[in-house]
Amino acid sequence: MKIGIIGATGMSGQKIYHEAQARRHEVTAIVRNREKAQQLLGADAHLLVKDAFNLTFSDLADFDVIVEAFSVPIGKHLGYLHLDIAAHLVHLLRNQATPRIIFILGAASLLNDQNTPFLESIKKAPGAEAWIDTPATQAYELELLRTATNVNWTGISPSLNYVDGPKTEYVRGENHALFNNAGKSEVNSGTLATALLDEIEQPQAKQTRFTVRNAD
């Protein structure tokens, strides 16, 4: 498949790029900085160098799947850009069967056992006002996507603790946060990349969100 990754130089994007390559997909990193992308992904990485907000439908039309792995620095009050990029891509891809678009969403919109989003408890954390805009806006991003009934979208949320690490076996769920027997909700970036590529190759979630955690 032809897969384009927006934000391919980030923690998620790098792992997804390499996992897609390992599975012999035709993968393109959609990035703003050519030199940074070549340093992180390899000098021979296939690149589309363009700001994501300037992408047009013609830029995306030849892909089978677009992965939106866009991220912003925490604490810079730029969380609103998650909503902006989602709105831009939804606008471009309305009423199109392809490319399918997969959004990497935050964990704050996952539900606890009282069916309440974890965002509500996260807001109460000490010093949350300095960084809450990012998880809050990613929760709003999911709400936006749920209204996009004429867009071929899927969302994936990491577990509550999302860390850079190698791929493992994983457990998959839907809208509730997943915990192991020790009460830990954690997923590695490599594990998320594996689950995302599995979803690309064997689609199960259409116009909905799913979540994963490390199996161990």
Side-chain angles (χ1 to χ4, degrees):
M1 290 187 195
K2 293 184 178 180
I3 301 173
I5 304 172
I6 297 171
T9 58
M11 183 177 79
S12 300
Q14 289 182 59
K15 289 293 198 300
I16 295 164
Y17 184 90
H18 290 304
E19 182 67 21
Q21 268 195 327
R23 299 190 190 203
R24 301 186 181 279
H25 293 289
E26 186 178 331
V27 57
T28 299
I30 302 172
V31 297
R32 291 185 301 170
N33 188 314
R34 180 184 300 275
E35 290 72 23
K36 179 181 179 181
Q38 290 177 329
Q39 180 182 11
L40 294 174
L41 303 174
D44 59 347
H46 191 246
L47 307 178
L48 170 57
V49 181
K50 194 165 188 178
D51 189 298
F53 288 95
N54 294 328
L55 290 169
T56 66
F57 177 72
S58 62
D59 292 321
L60 306 180
D62 289 339
F63 291 103
D64 298 299
V65 179
I66 295 294
V67 178
E68 191 270 274
F70 178 85
S71 63
V72 298
I74 300 297
K76 300 292 186 180
H77 300 287
L78 296 172
Y80 64 89
L81 291 175
H82 283 285
L83 196 57
D84 289 353
I85 192 63
H88 178 60
L89 295 170
V90 163
H91 173 70
L92 292 180
L93 299 178
R94 285 195 188 277
N95 298 309
Q96 303 294 329
T98 57
R100 179 189 185 192
I101 183 161
I102 301 182
F103 292 85
I104 300 180
L105 305 168
S109 58
L110 292 171
L111 305 178
N112 61 23
D113 53 9
Q114 284 82 44
N115 293 320
T116 301
F118 275 90
L119 178 62
E120 299 309 311
S121 57
I122 293 171
K123 287 178 180 178
K124 300 173 185 177
E129 63 277 1
W131 48 263
I132 195 62
D133 65 303
T134 295
T137 307
Q138 287 192 290
Y140 305 148
E141 183 180 5
L142 176 59
E143 294 179 17
L144 169 68
L145 294 176
R146 284 172 169 163
T147 72
T149 56
N150 58 353
V151 177
N152 187 9
W153 69 271
T154 296
I156 179 171
S157 284
S159 291
L160 299 180
N161 191 27
Y162 184 37
V163 297
D164 195 17
K167 62 182 178 182
T168 69
E169 296 297 318
Y170 64 86
V171 176
R172 176 170 168 150
E174 295 181 355
N175 288 309
H176 286 78
L178 300 174
F179 296 85
N180 63 16
N181 291 334
K184 192 174 186 179
S185 178
E186 183 170 283
V187 68
N188 295 347
S189 54
T191 307
L192 184 135
T194 299
L196 190 148
L197 264 296
D198 286 349
E199 171 63 29
I200 287 175
E201 294 174 349
Q202 300 181 48
Q204 300 178 54
K206 182 176 180 179
Q207 295 180 329
T208 190
R209 181 266 302 272
F210 70 100
T211 185
V212 292
R213 69 164 173 86
N214 294 338
D216 56 341

